[in-house]
Amino acid sequence: MSLPRIAIDAMGGDEGVRTMIDGAAMARRRHDRFKFLLVGDEERIKNALADHPGMSGASEILHCEDVVEGDEKPSKALRRAKTTSMGLAVDAVKRGEAGAAVSAGNTGALMAMSKLALRTMPGLDRPALAALLPTLGDNDVIMLDLGANRECDARNLVQFAIMGAAYSRIVTGRERPRTRLLNIGTEETKGTEDIQNAAEILRGATGLDMEFEGYVEADKINRGECDVVVCDGFSGNIALKAIEGTARFVTDLLRRAFTSSIRSKVGFLVSRPATELLKHHLDPNNHNGAVFLGLNGVVVKSHGSADATGVANAVEVAARLLEDDILNRIRKDLGEVGSEGFAAK
Amino acid sequence: MSLPRIAIDAMGGDEGVRTMIDGAAMARRRHDRFKFLLVGDEERIKNALADHPGMSGASEILHCEDVVEGDEKPSKALRRAKTTSMGLAVDAVKRGEAGAAVSAGNTGALMAMSKLALRTMPGLDRPALAALLPTLGDNDVIMLDLGANRECDARNLVQFAIMGAAYSRIVTGRERPRTRLLNIGTEETKGTEDIQNAAEILRGATGLDMEFEGYVEADKINRGECDVVVCDGFSGNIALKAIEGTARFVTDLLRRAFTSSIRSKVGFLVSRPATELLKHHLDPNNHNGAVFLGLNGVVVKSHGSADATGVANAVEVAARLLEDDILNRIRKDLGEVGSEGFAAK
């Protein structure tokens, strides 16, 4: 089966057209089946393509001049869904001209445009934003929702668990990903009523392709002991940013410590391969590509400040989701809990 | 003015009586005005005191045999408030036999016992749990609430801001601590209605001794750009644990990297003073001592796994709060917003 094209919003993000095109080209060097629809200013895209002769046969350009601004209100951007590079990239998925869209632009606008164009999957109340985070284990952990839904009820959380587990099966290869709800303690009585009700539904829904293992506290997210962490969008956003900020904080302290004396500078040079390993493991570019799960189409958000390596990762995330048919996997499990889980409540 | 005694729950925590007594003795070596009421098993306390001849004239023992278990339900522990070491330490504050209580035991039980015995301050709806976190700046940042209140309205958040700022004035020496509300973005439209309303009240309440500077995202908590971070107990607990977990995660990765080859082991040894600096900065013991703010008395929670250095820090936190009369500082500011802030809503 040939892989559907991936639409790239070439104009989104802080790093410009060249980074988006370099990233797509980098992904294509690793997977020569990849084909692209590059959406944005034709001249600038062509200039960037000049460095990548291999891309010419694998990509088509869809010219447009309008761009969604990074700080633009989603409601305002939404009115220009048919003229902006972001809107047209998403629209290409809707019209079947691409299988997935990748954008590094305004997250809120991308979510709003994607929801409007692709609609939420039948049987699902709300889509969610999911990302991969590094762990001490062999696989990344998936956390969702990360901010698409400020408040969530038990039913939303159960649906997020199903979508996260479907995604995790692709990432980890595990048949039954270990799934937990983010909470402020591990005892059954901890947390909000919605979290407790979600836990009860998930414990009861034995037909789902996951091991539901109760609650996880935020200090255990990256121990490698679970594959999917489910939370409302507010808590998830707080947890994600606290993790990102602390990783940066510790590496900043480390840099400061290593430059504090001649001796420590020497030590740093000697142990450079070790600290490079650490840097590689923590580099957000190596975990780039958050996914809007639950829409009738695949949309991947690349971080606004991702470099070409980061963009290439986001493109590969989109390709894996297409290849493994994430949409049908989610549809199947939603049907499962529809008959068994919610009905029992 | 002589400093009131500090009551120590000698039986709480995972590390045992000796760690609590060693910690108190360590604090006293630095501040010889400190005096203690040591609550717990007399024989074990006496054994631990044998190593610290300087403590004998500075401490009295209050014998009891009952101990609150680490995993005991607060409601169950509460019934033994008059027989357990934790309950008696808090009761000593109520009866004026001590100025503050320090315990490393069950957090929920300590909170419940403290609320019942000491009562919430007049004019305040709910107490909050506050802790100090390390930053890239010169001072620790104070974050509250960390789990005493699962859900909080705007009025709670404003009161937490007042209490946090009063605490921060003691820690940082700033007349007007830079205070922010934890949120998932910095634009005015971000977050829940309660957060937005709290921001509006704080912006309007110009008589308060703080600079209210809007919202902070969780990745900026430790940049040293603000002194007080205010949040509901659920988000605060998630953020705190995500920060603690990630700091441990990164240092675990670093250790793994440093032991991955002979070369990196050599580099580690050479740069040891640098990594020790980092370890010191991040060691939870150096930031130990969470405070229950908003009660008619000072209660400090030492981490269950804190070592003697950690306990000494918690004792010093209690002493500083007594010395700087935190209770009256908070009372004054609560009066301020009472007439100006809430009335305007």
Side-chain angles (χ1 to χ4, degrees), chain A:
Chain A
M1 187 194 94
S2 76
L3 194 70
R5 288 198 298 191
I6 296 169
I8 308 274
D9 168 13
M11 314 306 285
D14 313 329
E15 304 300 316
V17 177
R18 194 163 290 273
T19 298
M20 297 305 294
I21 303 299
D22 286 354
M26 190 183 286
R28 192 176 147 76
R29 278 198 296 277
R30 296 195 287 240
H31 309 272
D32 60 8
R33 302 161 303 133
F34 288 9
K35 290 194 164 43
F36 301 102
L37 179 66
L38 306 171
V39 190
D41 186 275
E42 184 162 18
E43 201 182 317
R44 293 170 66 191
I45 294 174
K46 277 190 172 157
N47 281 339
L49 281 175
D51 295 341
H52 307 288
M55 285 283 280
S56 58
S59 53
E60 186 188 339
I61 298 174
L62 175 59
H63 174 75
C64 77
E65 282 165 15
D66 200 5
V67 175
V68 173
E69 299 299 324
D71 55 359
E72 198 170 333
K73 277 202 173 176
S75 53
K76 193 180 154 211
L78 211 49
R79 277 178 247 141
R80 294 183 291 119
K82 297 287 182 189
T83 58
T84 52
S85 58
M86 179 188 284
L88 289 170
V90 172
D91 194 55
V93 178
K94 182 187 178 186
R95 287 179 292 113
E97 294 187 12
V102 175
S103 174
N106 183 321
T107 309
L110 183 61
M111 185 80 205
M113 285 182 175
S114 302
K115 270 171 89 166
L116 190 71
L118 302 174
R119 302 275 167 196
T120 304
M121 255 180 203
L124 188 79
D125 298 329
R126 294 186 194 176
L129 186 60
L132 297 168
L133 297 175
T135 71
L136 286 178
D138 296 327
N139 290 117
D140 284 354
V141 60
I142 286 165
M143 187 156 78
L144 77 170
D145 175 36
L146 299 175
N149 308 281
R150 215 170 50 193
E151 281 158 89
C152 299
D153 62 19
R155 193 178 151 98
N156 296 141
L157 293 172
V158 170
Q159 293 177 346
F160 298 170
I162 290 172
M163 297 196 291
Y167 187 9
S168 179
R169 282 198 291 282
I170 297 174
V171 172
T172 64
R174 281 182 201 273
E175 286 296 307
R176 298 173 63 79
R178 299 162 301 171
T179 304
R180 290 177 185 256
L181 290 160
L182 185 64
N183 203 342
I184 57 174
T186 52
E187 304 85 354
E188 281 193 23
T189 56
K190 287 282 180 177
T192 62
E193 209 174 304
D194 286 321
I195 294 176
Q196 292 172 19
N197 288 341
E200 201 189 321
I201 297 171
L202 287 168
R203 249 181 247 116
T206 50
L208 296 176
D209 290 340
M210 67 173 82
E211 290 298 335
F212 175 66
E213 299 184 339
Y215 301 138
V216 61
E217 293 182 80
D219 57 345
K220 302 283 179 353
I221 292 171
N222 45 31
R223 305 311 289 177
E225 294 157 10
C226 62
D227 303 309
V228 183
V229 173
V230 179
C231 48
D232 68 87
F234 192 92
S235 309
N237 193 285
I238 298 279
L240 176 70
K241 285 180 183 158
I243 289 169
E244 289 175 346
T246 307
R248 200 160 49 240
F249 171 60
V250 177
T251 47
D252 285 352
L253 286 179
L254 194 65
R255 187 173 309 118
R256 195 188 275 182
F258 272 132
T259 53
S260 63
S261 71
I262 303 269
R263 175 175 167 172
S264 59
K265 278 182 197 163
V266 171
F268 173 72
L269 288 176
V270 175
S271 49
R272 191 145 203 179
T275 53
E276 286 296 314
L277 254 183
L278 176 75
K279 208 177 139 192
H280 179 83
H281 199 103
L282 292 177
D283 186 348
N285 283 303
N286 294 325
H287 308 273
N288 189 39
V291 183
F292 289 128
L293 290 174
L295 301 171
N296 294 302
V298 172
V299 177
V300 174
K301 168 70 173 77
S302 174
H303 199 284
S305 60
D307 63 16
T309 306
V311 173
N313 273 315
V315 167
E316 289 180 24
V317 165
R320 280 172 88 175
L321 294 173
L322 285 177
E323 207 163 35
D324 287 281
D325 203 5
I326 181 97
L327 302 186
N328 275 323
R329 282 172 182 256
I330 294 173
R331 274 185 205 112
K332 183 203 149 279
D333 265 6
L334 280 176
E336 194 73 40
V337 82
S339 57
E340 185 178 330
F342 296 127
K345 283 303 291 179

